[in-house]
Amino acid sequence: MNQKEEITAEVQILLKEAENPLAFSRKPENVTKVGDLSRKIDTFLNDPSVEKNERAHLLNEKSRILNLLDSYSKDAEDALTKSIKLNPGDLNTWNILGNVLWKKKDYVSARKTLESAIDQFGKNKESLRYLSMVLRFIDDPKERTKNVAKSVEYAKEAVGQDIKDGESWYVLGNAYLHNYFANSRKLVELQTALKAYTQAELNSKWDNPDLYYNRGEIQLYLEEYNQAIDSYNRAHTLDESLNAKEKSAKIIELNDAIQYAVDNKGKYKPKKLAVIVKSIPTVLKTQPKHLGDVKYTIKALEDCAIGENKGCILSCKVTNVITKKSDVPARFVIVDFKATFGCVSIYHCNDEIYEKISEQTEIYVVNPVVKNVKFSLKDKEYNYLAVQVFDPDSIWIDANKDMTIFSPSEITHKNLP
C-alpha cells in the first residue's frame, strides 16, 4: 500500500466512525484522531516530490477529516482552496468548501461556491442541499423572502436526486419551516415540514437531535403538546445542550396555568362571573361591512364544532392573561355567554397585543378554529377547548378590528440548517 492508499484508508475509517457527526465531534479522542491524521497528511504534503494530482488528493482528504468537526476550520478552507487550484474538476472539493464557508458564516462566498459547483458539474444532492441551507442565512432583507422560497425549491430538488437521503429530507423540513414564517403563513407548510422530518427520521443513519427539537418547535406552535413533549424529550436524550428538557417543562407549566384557570372559572367569584357572562353579546346587531354578504351568527364556544366553524362568530371575554411578551402564540383564557371556559391562542401578533387585551376585554373570533386539547402526563389530565386565531382578519377586540397588533411571528433555533 503506497502513501496515497494508506491515507485514503485512514480517512475512510474516520468517515465511517463519523456517520453520527454530533457524537463523533464531541468525543475528545476523535478530535485527537483528526489532528493526528491531519498532521500525518501534512508530512506528505511537505515533500516537494509529491505530484500535482496526488497533492490535490491529499489536500482534499485533509479537508474532509477537518470538516468532520462541528466548528469552522481555517486549515480545511486553506486546504480546499489549494486543492481546487490544483484540480478544479473535483465536485466533492467544491461541495466541502461550500459547507466549510457555511460554518464560517461567510454565506455569500458559500453561495457563490455552490452555484459554481452546479454550473460546472450539474445538479447534485450535496450542492443543492448546502445551497438550500446557505440561502436561508444570507442577511439581505430585500432578498430574504425570495431566498427562503428558493431554499425550498433547492431542498426539493436535493430530495429528488435521492429520496433515500435522510439529510436532504431534514434540510427540506427546515426549509418549509422557514418558508412558513418568511412567506406563506399557510399551515400546510408546517404540516409538510413535519412529513419531511418523518422521512428524514426513516432514512437517516443516525438520530439527529436537532430534527427532534425542530419537530417539537412546530408541534408546540400548533399546540400538539403531548407530541411536542415527546420530541423535546428525545432531543434532550440525544443532546442535553439544546435545553429541550426546559422546553418540555415550560409546556407543562403553560398547560397547568390554562387548566387551572379553566377549572377554577378564572378564579372569579360567582357573582362577579355572572355579571361578566351576562355582559357578553349573544346576537350580532350589525354586521361589519368587511364580512361581505355572508350572514354570520353568534355562537358560544360549547356550540362550536372541532375544526373551522364557518359562518359563525365566537363572542367571549378574557378572564386570564396566560402568556407574556414575546411568547408565540399569545394565549388568553376566555369565557363565553354560556359560561363555558376555554383558551384563545392568537398567532402573528406583536407585544402590543398585551396592551389591547387584558382581563374582561371583549373578543370576537370570525370562523373560529376550535381544537380539543386533551392529553395526560403522569397523573395529570389536561382537557380544554382551544381557539386558534391564525388570520389577523378573523379577530376583533372590543368590536374593533385592530390590525396594528399583528406582525409575523417566528420560531428561532440556533441549529436550524
Side-chain angles (χ1 to χ4, degrees), residues 180-181 185 221 346-350 390 392 405-409:
Y180 171 79
F181 293 103
R185 290 201 289 186
Y221 183 83
I346 305 176
Y347 293 76
H348 309 299
C349 59
N350 57 40
F390 293 102
I405 65 169
F406 293 97
S407 63
S409 54

Side-chain angles (χ1 to χ4, degrees), residues 216-231:
E217 292 283 85
I218 296 176
Q219 291 163 338
L220 170 58
Y221 183 83
L222 296 176
E223 300 182 308
E224 301 291 346
Y225 297 117
N226 204 26
Q227 295 175 27
I229 288 172
D230 288 343
S231 294

Side-chain angles (χ1 to χ4, degrees), residues 170-320:
Y170 170 62
V171 171
L172 179 60
N174 290 345
Y176 274 116
L177 173 54
H178 271 277
N179 197 51
Y180 171 79
F181 293 103
N183 290 316
S184 75
R185 290 201 289 186
K186 294 178 180 177
L187 291 180
V188 67
E189 299 279 318
L190 296 182
Q191 298 296 343
T192 307
L194 291 173
K195 290 177 182 177
Y197 289 148
T198 298
Q199 288 299 318
E201 187 178 13
L202 292 172
N203 291 285
S204 292
K205 296 179 181 178
W206 64 291
D207 284 336
N208 182 351
D210 290 327
L211 183 157
Y212 294 102
Y213 187 99
N214 297 344
R215 184 159 67 187
E217 292 283 85
I218 296 176
Q219 291 163 338
L220 170 58
Y221 183 83
L222 296 176
E223 300 182 308
E224 301 291 346
Y225 297 117
N226 204 26
Q227 295 175 27
I229 288 172
D230 288 343
S231 294
Y232 284 134
N233 288 345
R234 182 60 179 152
H236 176 76
T237 300
L238 296 168
D239 184 1
E240 295 183 3
S241 71
L242 293 176
N243 296 321
K245 192 172 183 179
E246 293 180 10
K247 299 284 286 192
S248 293
K250 286 182 179 179
I251 290 175
I252 297 169
E253 182 182 337
L254 169 69
N255 278 276
D256 281 345
I258 295 171
Q259 192 69 60
Y260 181 82
V262 169
D263 290 345
N264 291 278
K265 302 185 182 300
K267 291 191 71 176
Y268 282 91
K269 292 181 179 179
K271 287 185 179 180
K272 178 67 174 177
L273 180 59
V275 172
I276 293 172
V277 170
K278 190 175 181 180
S279 70
I280 299 172
T282 59
V283 294
L284 194 61
K285 294 179 181 179
T286 58
Q287 182 167 302
K289 293 181 180 179
H290 75 276
L291 292 180
D293 296 330
V294 178
K295 297 300 180 183
Y296 285 82
T297 56
I298 294 287
K299 267 196 175 184
L301 180 58
E302 70 173 32
D303 296 326
C304 291
I306 300 301
E308 185 178 13
N309 292 261
K310 291 186 177 181
C312 302
I313 296 176
L314 172 65
S315 174
C316 58
K317 276 193 172 184
V318 171
T319 59
N320 306 81

